[in-house]
Each structure stands twice: as C-alpha cells, then as structure tokens.
Amino acid sequence: VKAVLKKREYGPKYTQNNFITGVRAINEFCLKSSDLDQLRKIKRRSPHDDTETFTVYLRSDVEAKSLEVWGSPEALARERKRRKEAEIKYRENLFRNQRLLWEYREFFGNTKPRSSTATMFFKGPGKVVMVAICINGLNFFFKLLAWVYTGSASMFSEAIHSLADTCNQALLALGISQSARTPDPSHPYGFTNMRYIASLISGVGIFMMGAGLSWYHGIIGLLHPHPVESLLWAYCILAGSLVSEGATLLVAINEIRRSARAKGLSFYQYVVQSRDPSTNVVLLEDAAAVLSVAVAATCMGLTSLTGNPYYDSVGSLGVGTLLGTVSAFLIYTNTEALLGRSIEPEQLQRLTELLESDPVVRAIHDVKATDMGMSKVRFKAEVDFDGRVVTRSYLEKQDIEQLLQEIQQVKTLEELEAFMLKHGDNIIDTLGAEVDRLEKDLKQRNPDVRHVDLEIL
C-alpha cells in the first residue's frame, strides 16, 4: 500500500477544539475571570510534578465570548493596544522606582537582613578564598617592605607574586558571590559558571601581572646588576611567608580532599577536572607560593654567599616561570570547563542503561551529557517510545467494560472521530506522564543530573 502524505490545511474545523489557559484567555482576549465562569471547563494534566491538574478552555468559546464582550474585532484590537501601552508605562515606572530605591539604599545604607550569600564565605571554597586573601595581603605588605629595604630582585618578585595572589583571590570571591545568584529569564541555567570565568581571568592575571613582572625584573637584573643590601630581614619575612602560605595550602588541600571524597574521586582527578575552580586556584597559587619562596630563598642565599647579584636575578626568573606554569594550567582547565565537556564515560553509560532498561523505551539515540560546572549535569537524549506499552499503561487505568460499550455505540464517522480524539488525547497525556517519570528517575538516581531533556521520536 502506497501512502501519499498531503499537507493538511488547518482551518476552523481543526482549530475550534484547541485549548487555551485562563491566563492567556484573560490577557490575549481582554476578558475578566468572571467572563470565564460561563464557559466550558476541561481538566488537563499538569506538565509539572508538584502541581495538580489545571483548567483550560476551548479557544472557540473564548473567541466567541470576547466578541460578545467587546462587540467587534476592531474594538478588541483597540483594547489590546491600550493595555499594551499601559503595561509599557507600568514597566517604565517600575524600573524608575527600583532605581530610586537602589540609590536610596546606596546613600542611607541597605537595611535588609544579611543575604545568605554572605554565609558562603564561612565554609567550603568561600572560607578557603577569604583565608587566602587575608594571608596574601599581609605577605604582600611585608615583602614590599623587605624589597624596599634590600633591593632584591627575588624579593620584588615575591612581593608581586603576593599582590597578584591577593587580587586574583579577590576576583575569586566576586565569582563565588555572583555564582549564587538565582536564575532569571536571561540566564535560565543560573550563574554557576561565574566561578570558572573568575578563575580563568585569575589565571590570565597571574600570567600578566605575576609572571610578566617577575621575568621583566629578572631580565633587568641580569642586564644591569647592582649590589644587594643585607638580606637578614628578607630571610625573616620569607620564613614567615613560608609558614603562612603553607597554612593556607593545608586549608585548600583539606577542602579538596573532603570534596573529592564526597564525589568518589581521587585528589588528582578532582583537581584536573576542575570540579571546584575557586579552591583549585588557591591550591595552585599557594603551592606555587611555597615553591617560589624556596626558590627565592635559595637564590638570595647564593647571592649572600658569593656576592654575585646574578643569582638573585635568576631567582626572579625562576619565580616567573613557576607562575607562568600555574597560569597555563588554570587557563587550560577552566577553558575546558567553560566549553562544556562531556561527563565521564562510566557515568554516561549508567544513565544510558537506566533509560534502555525501562519497558516503555524501545531505543534511545543521540545521547549527550554535558558537565555544566560545579557538579551540575545536563542530560539530553532522543527516545523512541514503545507506543504499545504506553497504550497498555493507559488501558490499565480505564474501565475496560465501559470502554467496550463506548466502542459499540460508535455508529457514524463523527462519533468515531469524537471517540478517537478523546482517547488519543488521553494517551498523549499518558506519554507525557511517562516522560516525567523517566526524568524524575534520572535525577533521583544521579543527583548530579539537574536538567533532563528527553525528545520523543
């Protein structure tokens, strides 16, 4: 049998039974809620798990009621235009009032209770970043004094290193606070990636500010060497910096170990995959700081023993090279995260097997699972549903004897069409319920999965 598919013309015969919600009826046809009380009401399944069935109306009934209320399509169009202009004016006034309120708070102080965002800096990555800011800020101050006193190129590099760390960690703190913002219509998936953006900018900052100035000062020292003053105070400050940077490093290591253990990953995997970019930056910066203190102290010691200032300049170049390496690693890992990399193959296989083992699924195609950052996964798949299983699921909830009586009463084409429309619509609702169930199962069994998109084939 050769089936010839023709383009169907959807005229009034097909559109008169379309449904419309009460909100759309009031907004689009300029009606009141009391106008809808007289219309036929149909209960429909809600697409959301946490809400009950909702009421819809036949579009043909709503259109007829709007003509009855407004008298003509022209009058309805004029009312729509008037309401649209009023809505634009209302939004302009609302924006103006919000701006005035913001200026008032800026001038007199915001009297609202402290936002929950502030609590992020008392635990987890926020705590690590704040501790690092305080310690690196103090280290920068004392190293700067030591450089002014001694003129050591290595000490200058160390001061620049601490300044770069302080600025970059302040940027990380800003990224953490911004990542806690709630999603809005312009950013439906939230602002989680602000941490990766802040970490990426931090990596670039380390390279430009830290590594660049250290190399520059080291090269200048090699080209134009000058004698170095007494380095006693410099050694004392380096020793204090080593202790403080080591303490911050231990805080970052403990936080990463705790988070990696919770995710079932090794320490190395957690760092390389950039699961927590803010803590990673602190870890790498402090590890580089501890190593750079050792490099600077060694080169300054050689300068003290030999009286040759070239060793001190070589120490500045070594610190710059170390910072450049850390910067390159941060830029690479955060760029990979922002590009939207796939999840681990084992985790993707578990998600795929969960779908394929469900009786209602015949096959799945084009499976994609993207790590959106901060252990949030978006899963997408094209699902070929078994229509027979879906239909049986619908029939299990029906009174078969009553359904048989309805079939036996069908005598005309109009009655057959009404019967098929009724039960076909209910079967589609059953299919939607199956999609909701599969999405819920995926999220329950895999807490990292936050967004599920199942396309029906």
Side-chain angles (χ1 to χ4, degrees):
V1 178
K2 183 178 180 181
V4 180
L5 301 179
K6 297 182 179 180
K7 184 177 180 181
R8 177 174 295 175
E9 299 294 337
Y10 289 99
K13 178 180 178 182
Y14 292 98
T15 59
Q16 64 181 355
N17 290 328
N18 284 0
F19 296 131
I20 186 173
T21 62
V23 175
R24 286 188 58 195
I26 292 174
N27 293 335
E28 295 182 15
F29 294 92
C30 304
L31 297 176
K32 300 177 182 178
S33 57
S34 58
D35 296 331
L36 303 179
D37 294 340
Q38 306 169 5
L39 304 182
R40 289 176 288 180
K41 302 178 180 63
I42 299 97
K43 293 291 184 181
R44 304 293 297 165
R45 181 188 68 87
S46 172
H48 305 288
D49 296 334
D50 55 349
T51 55
E52 301 293 333
T53 58
F54 63 99
T55 303
V56 294
Y57 303 87
L58 289 172
R59 187 182 183 90
S60 56
D61 290 352
V62 174
E63 291 176 348
K65 187 63 179 179
S66 67
L67 291 178
E68 177 186 336
V69 171
W70 295 104
S72 66
E74 292 76 13
L76 176 60
R78 286 195 298 270
E79 178 63 19
R80 284 175 176 170
K81 182 179 179 181
R82 187 191 67 80
R83 293 192 179 189
K84 185 176 182 180
E85 292 174 350
E87 182 182 0
I88 293 174
K89 186 176 180 181
Y90 168 77
R91 289 181 178 178
E92 290 176 350
N93 291 334
L94 180 62
F95 175 78
R96 188 180 301 109
N97 292 335
Q98 288 176 341
R99 180 69 181 178
L100 290 173
L101 181 60
W102 179 80
E103 292 177 354
Y104 173 84
R105 287 173 176 170
E106 285 293 311
F107 185 76
F108 291 102
N110 193 339
T111 57
K112 290 175 61 178
R114 175 176 290 183
S115 172
S116 59
T117 304
T119 61
M120 299 178 63
F121 295 103
F122 295 96
K123 60 181 180 180
K127 178 182 177 181
V128 175
V129 171
M130 293 307 296
V131 170
I133 290 175
C134 296
I135 291 179
N136 283 314
L138 291 174
N139 287 340
F140 164 69
F141 177 74
F142 288 112
K143 288 177 181 179
L144 185 64
L145 291 180
W147 170 68
V148 172
Y149 178 73
T150 63
S152 168
S154 295
M155 185 54 67
F156 174 81
S157 297
E158 280 299 301
I160 293 299
H161 185 176
S162 295
L163 176 60
D165 288 351
T166 304
C167 294
N168 290 328
Q169 285 150 11
L171 182 63
L172 294 179
L174 178 62
I176 291 175
S177 64
Q178 290 295 311
S179 68
R181 293 168 59 188
T182 56
D184 57 31
S186 300
H187 306 86
Y189 291 106
F191 297 84
T192 303
N193 282 342
M194 279 301 300
R195 296 196 182 192
Y196 291 97
I197 295 173
S199 299
L200 177 61
I201 298 174
S202 176
V204 175
I206 292 173
F207 180 80
M208 295 180 62
M209 187 175 181
L213 287 178
S214 296
W215 283 332
Y216 171 79
H217 208 71
I219 292 173
I220 292 298
L222 291 176
L223 296 177
H224 307 286
H226 60 275
V228 179
E229 302 295 334
S230 174
L231 299 177
L232 177 61
W233 286 107
Y235 291 135
C236 295
I237 291 174
L238 284 179
S241 176
L242 181 63
V243 173
S244 60
E245 298 283 6
T248 310
L249 180 61
L250 288 177
V251 172
I253 290 175
N254 291 333
E255 176 62 25
I256 290 179
R257 281 179 176 172
R258 184 188 63 80
S259 300
R261 195 180 306 113
K263 296 295 181 182
L265 299 173
S266 66
F267 185 90
Y268 175 77
Q269 289 175 327
Y270 193 89
V271 173
V272 171
Q273 294 177 14
S274 192
R275 292 300 184 99
D276 187 349
S278 302
T279 308
N280 273 4
V281 172
V282 176
L283 171 73
L284 295 174
E285 286 185 349
D286 287 335
V290 171
L291 291 176
S292 65
V293 167
V295 171
T298 301
C299 293
M300 289 167 60
L302 291 174
T303 298
S304 298
L305 292 175
T306 63
N308 188 349
Y310 284 108
Y311 290 111
D312 186 54
S313 299
V314 170
S316 182
L317 293 175
V319 172
T321 302
L322 186 60
L323 291 176
T325 304
V326 171
S327 173
F329 179 80
L330 289 175
I331 292 173
Y332 171 76
T333 55
N334 286 287
T335 301
E336 286 291 307
L338 289 171
L339 286 175
R341 60 194 171 192
S342 178
I343 62 175
E344 292 297 317
E346 296 78 9
Q347 186 180 4
L348 181 59
Q349 182 65 25
R350 288 196 300 269
L351 295 174
T352 304
E353 291 176 352
L354 176 61
L355 278 181
E356 290 179 332
S357 62
D358 195 281
V360 78
V361 177
R362 182 185 291 122
I364 60 174
H365 308 276
D366 193 23
V367 179
K368 294 184 177 69
T370 306
D371 187 349
M372 299 174 60
M374 299 303 297
S375 300
K376 293 182 180 179
V377 175
R378 180 180 180 183
F379 180 83
K380 176 261 180 186
E382 296 178 355
V383 183
D384 183 10
F385 285 89
D386 191 333
R388 294 170 297 179
V389 176
V390 175
T391 304
R392 288 194 183 100
S393 177
Y394 170 69
L395 292 176
E396 289 174 356
K397 302 173 184 177
Q398 304 300 313
D399 186 343
I400 300 298
E401 294 182 358
Q402 181 181 355
L403 187 60
L404 180 59
Q405 291 177 3
E406 290 182 17
I407 296 174
Q408 293 172 347
Q409 292 174 1
V410 173
K411 303 298 182 183
T412 63
L413 291 177
E414 290 74 12
E415 292 176 349
L416 176 62
E417 182 181 12
F419 176 83
M420 294 299 296
L421 288 175
K422 173 186 174 182
H423 292 284
D425 198 16
N426 292 337
I427 290 175
I428 294 299
D429 286 345
T430 303
L431 177 60
E434 294 293 338
V435 172
D436 292 343
R437 178 181 61 81
L438 290 174
E439 292 179 350
K440 188 175 180 179
D441 288 347
L442 285 171
K443 292 179 181 179
Q444 286 181 344
R445 300 190 185 186
N446 301 270
D448 289 348
V449 178
R450 302 295 180 88
H451 306 281
V452 180
D453 300 322
L454 299 182
E455 299 180 8
I456 302 175
L457 292 179

mmCIF file of all heavy atoms in Angstrom, residues 2 43 45 135 192 214 305 313 328 356 368 388 432 448 453 456:
data_model
loop_
_atom_site.group_PDB
_atom_site.id
_atom_site.type_symbol
_atom_site.label_atom_id
_atom_site.label_comp_id
_atom_site.label_asym_id
_atom_site.label_seq_id
_atom_site.Cartn_x
_atom_site.Cartn_y
_atom_site.Cartn_z
ATOM 1 N N LYS A 2 0.684 2.115 -0.943
ATOM 2 C CA LYS A 2 1.480 3.323 -1.041
ATOM 3 C C LYS A 2 0.729 4.463 -0.368
ATOM 4 O O LYS A 2 -0.383 4.803 -0.749
ATOM 5 C CB LYS A 2 1.738 3.659 -2.506
ATOM 6 C CG LYS A 2 2.634 4.891 -2.675
ATOM 7 C CD LYS A 2 2.890 5.155 -4.153
ATOM 8 C CE LYS A 2 3.794 6.384 -4.306
ATOM 9 N NZ LYS A 2 4.027 6.677 -5.741
ATOM 10 N N LYS A 43 -10.409 19.737 32.430
ATOM 11 C CA LYS A 43 -9.258 19.476 33.296
ATOM 12 C C LYS A 43 -8.144 18.816 32.494
ATOM 13 O O LYS A 43 -8.382 17.858 31.754
ATOM 14 C CB LYS A 43 -9.652 18.562 34.467
ATOM 15 C CG LYS A 43 -10.608 19.195 35.465
ATOM 16 C CD LYS A 43 -9.934 20.296 36.256
ATOM 17 C CE LYS A 43 -10.845 20.869 37.322
ATOM 18 N NZ LYS A 43 -10.194 21.954 38.088
ATOM 19 N N ARG A 45 -3.833 17.495 32.461
ATOM 20 C CA ARG A 45 -2.684 17.092 33.260
ATOM 21 C C ARG A 45 -1.637 18.184 33.267
ATOM 22 O O ARG A 45 -1.312 18.760 32.237
ATOM 23 C CB ARG A 45 -2.071 15.817 32.680
ATOM 24 C CG ARG A 45 -0.876 15.275 33.453
ATOM 25 C CD ARG A 45 -0.234 14.130 32.701
ATOM 26 N NE ARG A 45 0.388 14.612 31.477
ATOM 27 C CZ ARG A 45 1.628 15.085 31.399
ATOM 28 N NH1 ARG A 45 2.367 15.158 32.484
ATOM 29 N NH2 ARG A 45 2.127 15.488 30.247
ATOM 30 N N ILE A 135 45.824 36.321 54.240
ATOM 31 C CA ILE A 135 47.232 35.962 54.403
ATOM 32 C C ILE A 135 48.085 36.565 53.300
ATOM 33 O O ILE A 135 49.159 37.132 53.554
ATOM 34 C CB ILE A 135 47.383 34.431 54.464
ATOM 35 C CG1 ILE A 135 46.772 33.899 55.771
ATOM 36 C CG2 ILE A 135 48.842 34.020 54.338
ATOM 37 C CD1 ILE A 135 46.844 32.410 55.929
ATOM 38 N N THR A 192 26.269 29.637 37.715
ATOM 39 C CA THR A 192 27.302 28.785 38.307
ATOM 40 C C THR A 192 28.657 28.977 37.639
ATOM 41 O O THR A 192 29.699 28.973 38.307
ATOM 42 C CB THR A 192 26.881 27.312 38.194
ATOM 43 O OG1 THR A 192 25.619 27.139 38.827
ATOM 44 C CG2 THR A 192 27.904 26.411 38.867
ATOM 45 N N SER A 214 57.783 39.499 37.023
ATOM 46 C CA SER A 214 58.935 38.757 37.567
ATOM 47 C C SER A 214 59.990 38.541 36.495
ATOM 48 O O SER A 214 61.200 38.718 36.729
ATOM 49 C CB SER A 214 58.468 37.411 38.137
ATOM 50 O OG SER A 214 57.599 37.596 39.226
ATOM 51 N N LEU A 305 76.249 34.394 49.778
ATOM 52 C CA LEU A 305 77.498 33.649 49.934
ATOM 53 C C LEU A 305 78.554 34.090 48.935
ATOM 54 O O LEU A 305 79.750 34.194 49.269
ATOM 55 C CB LEU A 305 77.225 32.153 49.786
ATOM 56 C CG LEU A 305 76.401 31.498 50.910
ATOM 57 C CD1 LEU A 305 76.098 30.047 50.578
ATOM 58 C CD2 LEU A 305 77.155 31.584 52.241
ATOM 59 N N SER A 313 68.833 37.540 40.417
ATOM 60 C CA SER A 313 68.036 37.774 39.205
ATOM 61 C C SER A 313 67.523 36.460 38.620
ATOM 62 O O SER A 313 66.391 36.382 38.122
ATOM 63 C CB SER A 313 68.878 38.523 38.162
ATOM 64 O OG SER A 313 69.282 39.783 38.657
ATOM 65 N N ALA A 328 49.190 28.787 33.004
ATOM 66 C CA ALA A 328 48.819 27.987 31.835
ATOM 67 C C ALA A 328 47.882 26.851 32.223
ATOM 68 O O ALA A 328 46.906 26.558 31.510
ATOM 69 C CB ALA A 328 50.086 27.433 31.164
ATOM 70 N N GLU A 356 17.486 2.598 28.849
ATOM 71 C CA GLU A 356 17.257 1.445 27.976
ATOM 72 C C GLU A 356 16.569 0.291 28.691
ATOM 73 O O GLU A 356 15.883 -0.519 28.058
ATOM 74 C CB GLU A 356 18.586 0.969 27.387
ATOM 75 C CG GLU A 356 19.181 1.933 26.363
ATOM 76 C CD GLU A 356 20.502 1.438 25.820
ATOM 77 O OE1 GLU A 356 21.200 0.707 26.565
ATOM 78 O OE2 GLU A 356 20.859 1.791 24.680
ATOM 79 N N LYS A 368 23.551 12.838 24.840
ATOM 80 C CA LYS A 368 24.579 13.817 25.204
ATOM 81 C C LYS A 368 24.415 14.166 26.673
ATOM 82 O O LYS A 368 23.304 14.380 27.142
ATOM 83 C CB LYS A 368 24.463 15.098 24.368
ATOM 84 C CG LYS A 368 24.754 14.933 22.884
ATOM 85 C CD LYS A 368 24.712 16.279 22.188
ATOM 86 C CE LYS A 368 25.064 16.152 20.709
ATOM 87 N NZ LYS A 368 24.010 15.431 19.955
ATOM 88 N N ARG A 388 2.879 0.691 22.097
ATOM 89 C CA ARG A 388 2.014 -0.362 22.650
ATOM 90 C C ARG A 388 2.071 -0.393 24.169
ATOM 91 O O ARG A 388 1.057 -0.570 24.843
ATOM 92 C CB ARG A 388 2.430 -1.712 22.075
ATOM 93 C CG ARG A 388 2.195 -1.842 20.577
ATOM 94 C CD ARG A 388 2.832 -3.090 20.018
ATOM 95 N NE ARG A 388 4.284 -3.051 20.184
ATOM 96 C CZ ARG A 388 5.111 -4.027 19.793
ATOM 97 N NH1 ARG A 388 4.614 -5.107 19.214
ATOM 98 N NH2 ARG A 388 6.402 -3.920 19.967
ATOM 99 N N GLY A 432 3.172 11.806 28.183
ATOM 100 C CA GLY A 432 3.817 12.890 28.925
ATOM 101 C C GLY A 432 4.128 12.495 30.351
ATOM 102 O O GLY A 432 5.183 12.856 30.895
ATOM 103 N N ASP A 448 23.754 14.447 40.459
ATOM 104 C CA ASP A 448 24.437 15.468 39.676
ATOM 105 C C ASP A 448 23.603 15.943 38.487
ATOM 106 O O ASP A 448 23.837 17.028 37.955
ATOM 107 C CB ASP A 448 25.781 14.942 39.158
ATOM 108 C CG ASP A 448 26.798 14.801 40.279
ATOM 109 O OD1 ASP A 448 26.536 15.319 41.379
ATOM 110 O OD2 ASP A 448 27.847 14.170 40.060
ATOM 111 N N ASP A 453 16.530 16.617 29.254
ATOM 112 C CA ASP A 453 15.763 16.918 28.038
ATOM 113 C C ASP A 453 15.590 15.617 27.261
ATOM 114 O O ASP A 453 16.552 15.116 26.650
ATOM 115 C CB ASP A 453 16.495 17.950 27.171
ATOM 116 C CG ASP A 453 16.720 19.260 27.917
ATOM 117 O OD1 ASP A 453 15.814 19.646 28.674
ATOM 118 O OD2 ASP A 453 17.786 19.875 27.745
ATOM 119 N N ILE A 456 11.030 13.127 22.111
ATOM 120 C CA ILE A 456 10.247 11.953 21.682
ATOM 121 C C ILE A 456 10.385 11.775 20.186
ATOM 122 O O ILE A 456 10.143 12.706 19.402
ATOM 123 C CB ILE A 456 8.758 12.136 22.059
ATOM 124 C CG1 ILE A 456 8.626 12.355 23.568
ATOM 125 C CG2 ILE A 456 7.936 10.941 21.612
ATOM 126 C CD1 ILE A 456 7.214 12.671 24.007
#
